[in-house]
Amino acid sequence: MSRALFAAVAVLPLMLAAGSAVAQTHGGHGAHAAPARPPQARPRPAPKPKPRAAAPQPRRVTPPAPAPAADPHAGHALSPAPAAAVDPHAGHDMSGMQTAPATAPAADPHAGHTMSAAPAAAADPHAGHDMSSMQMAPATAPAADPHAGHDMSAMQTPAADPHAGHDMSAMAGGAPNIPTSVDAVGGRMVETPPPAAARAAPDHAADLLFDPAVMAESRKQLLVENGDVRTTAVLIDSIEANFGDGEEGYSWNAQGWTGGDINRFWWKTEGEGAFDGKLHDAEVQALYSRAIAPFWDVQAGVRQDFRPDGDDTTHLTVGVQGVAPYWFEMSAAAFLSTEGDLTARAEAEYDQRLTQKWILQPALELEMSASDIPELEIGSGLTSVTAGLRLRYEIRKEFAPYVGVEWSRSFGDTADYAKARGDDVDATRLVVGIKAWF
């Protein structure tokens, strides 16, 4: 008994020093739960064993308690925090201690905070100690706000409106309302008319700053240097041989120009004959052409007809030539002869590209006369119609052979003249030829 008493007397100073260290350590961490340890259930106190004779215990050497870690919240006014969910004395023999009833673990006061700068919790200096004879202070009640008194201005909190309290009066509200495709039906851009001031100024704004006469000469020189380009071209629409029920023959149709984009000199020629050397007819036109619209020219000049019987005729010619929508090449002309006979001709053709090399070309030609011309065996009204279909292969863009079929028919008094000569009113011929340009 005296030996046990001696051991208790020797251990008592150490227990008092350890209790002081426990109080200081717990006081520094009373408001923070150790983040590295998962919450564990507090063990229920075991029933107090019956007293019996204490066996001699060897004296244990306790290492000095380490200094408490620096508190990351030093200097903050921290209200008492609720009891930590994790028991800092897990593993200790607490059978001799009287503890207050356990309270429900409080919510982590630092949930959602960035704690990357907080130091790791210090190791419990009393791990492995026998704390059975120590009296623990009762746990304090959880505080209402663990951050009461903290300066939270540097923390990022989600705001309902990032521009709340800003003065937005100088922004989009003061900008002009420019219409866009969203404001239009069908998604098309809104086209606003030009302001009235745009039409009040002269056609050339430079005339407001410089002498208009000098600027007119400058624009004329600019047109010569950049737009008044002289070009020459020759277009051979067809040089072909035709084979039908009657005699075999040949024909040609060519034209060309020289000049600029606005003013040009045009020439045209066409004719036909038989392989036996007899020329049926031929014509040559010399025309002045002026552009009146994109892709369209008006032409005026003379036409000279040549016939084997010597009945040559000269005509005054006026017409138009150009490209209609969808790339139909069209021409129409009226001819007034020196004898007072008025005739007209209209032509149209279209290039249907099948591949990059193969092109199918339908063509149509109509001829009309305002009066009967007995010496030329031509009746009034619609005199003839010629329709052809040619398939050509472009060896090069400038040279393409073709093969096709052509049908022609006479009408009215012109058909009667053909019957009187012993010719057919209509004829179908196979044609073979070339198309070229340079």
Side-chain angles (χ1 to χ4, degrees):
M1 183 65 180
S2 60
R3 187 174 297 176
L5 182 59
F6 176 77
V9 172
V11 174
L12 182 60
L14 296 176
M15 294 180 63
L16 294 177
S20 175
V22 168
Q24 295 177 3
T25 303
H26 293 175
H29 297 279
H32 300 280
R37 297 184 181 181
Q40 298 179 359
R42 178 175 296 178
R44 300 176 62 86
K48 187 174 182 181
K50 295 180 179 181
R52 60 179 178 179
Q57 299 290 336
R59 184 174 182 179
R60 301 177 64 181
V61 179
T62 303
D71 187 359
H73 299 287
H76 295 182
L78 299 175
S79 299
V86 180
D87 186 3
H89 300 290
H92 294 183
D93 184 5
M94 309 295 287
S95 60
M97 298 180 64
Q98 295 181 2
T99 59
T103 59
D108 186 3
H110 299 290
H113 294 184
T114 302
M115 306 296 290
S116 58
D124 187 1
H126 301 290
H129 292 185
D130 184 6
M131 310 294 289
S132 59
S133 60
M134 294 185 65
Q135 296 287 333
M136 300 297 293
T140 58
D145 184 5
H147 296 289
H150 289 191
D151 182 8
M152 308 297 287
S153 61
M155 299 186 68
Q156 297 181 358
T157 57
D161 184 4
H163 300 290
H166 293 184
D167 183 7
M168 310 294 287
S169 60
M171 296 186 67
N177 184 18
I178 301 176
T180 63
S181 59
V182 179
D183 304 321
V185 179
R188 296 179 62 87
M189 290 296 295
V190 177
E191 297 182 3
T192 57
R199 301 185 183 279
D203 294 338
H204 303 283
D207 293 348
L208 297 175
L209 304 177
F210 304 98
D211 185 1
V214 174
M215 293 307 303
E217 291 296 328
S218 299
R219 286 189 291 271
K220 186 183 298 184
Q221 182 64 27
L222 185 65
L223 178 63
V224 172
E225 294 176 353
N226 296 275
D228 193 13
V229 180
R230 303 292 175 175
T231 59
T232 300
V234 175
L235 307 176
I236 302 175
D237 290 335
S238 64
I239 296 180
E240 63 187 26
N242 51 77
F243 309 91
D245 296 337
E247 62 182 6
E248 298 175 353
Y250 62 90
S251 65
W252 75 87
N253 189 343
Q255 58 185 332
W257 79 81
T258 182
D261 293 337
I262 305 299
N263 302 297
R264 290 179 178 178
F265 167 74
W266 275 79
W267 58 267
K268 300 179 181 181
T269 179
E270 63 178 79
E272 59 182 1
F275 283 134
D276 59 5
K278 182 180 179 181
L279 178 65
H280 293 169
D281 59 71
E283 69 177 50
V284 177
Q285 299 183 41
L287 308 169
Y288 164 73
S289 177
R290 179 173 179 83
I292 57 173
F295 306 108
W296 286 96
D297 296 347
V298 62
Q299 300 173 339
V302 295
R303 164 189 162 187
Q304 182 65 40
D305 292 349
F306 302 93
R307 295 184 177 85
D309 56 6
D311 190 10
D312 298 342
T313 308
T314 304
H315 301 77
L316 179 64
T317 304
V318 177
V320 294
Q321 180 173 339
V323 180
Y326 302 100
W327 298 100
F328 285 90
E329 298 183 17
M330 305 184 68
S331 64
F335 310 99
L336 180 62
S337 71
T338 54
E339 304 295 332
D341 299 322
L342 180 61
T343 58
R345 179 189 302 156
E347 301 176 60
E349 62 183 33
Y350 179 75
D351 284 353
Q352 176 60 56
R353 189 173 293 276
L354 305 178
T355 67
Q356 294 295 326
K357 296 289 187 178
W358 290 98
I359 300 172
L360 185 65
Q361 182 191 64
L364 181 66
E365 179 180 338
L366 306 177
E367 292 191 3
M368 295 157 284
S369 176
S371 61
D372 293 333
I373 310 176
E375 60 273 16
L376 300 178
E377 298 181 348
I378 297 176
S380 61
L382 179 63
T383 60
S384 65
V385 174
T386 303
L389 187 65
R390 293 168 174 83
L391 178 64
R392 71 177 184 265
Y393 179 80
E394 289 186 345
I395 299 176
R396 297 183 60 182
K397 294 292 184 182
E398 301 87 351
F399 184 82
Y402 64 84
V403 61
V405 62
E406 187 176 76
W407 171 83
S408 62
R409 179 180 176 84
S410 300
F411 297 91
D413 293 340
T414 306
D416 296 337
Y417 285 119
K419 293 177 182 178
R421 293 193 308 266
D423 296 336
D424 295 332
V425 176
D426 59 354
T428 302
R429 297 178 296 273
L430 176 68
V431 297
V432 178
I434 59 172
K435 181 182 178 71
W437 63 269
F438 54 89

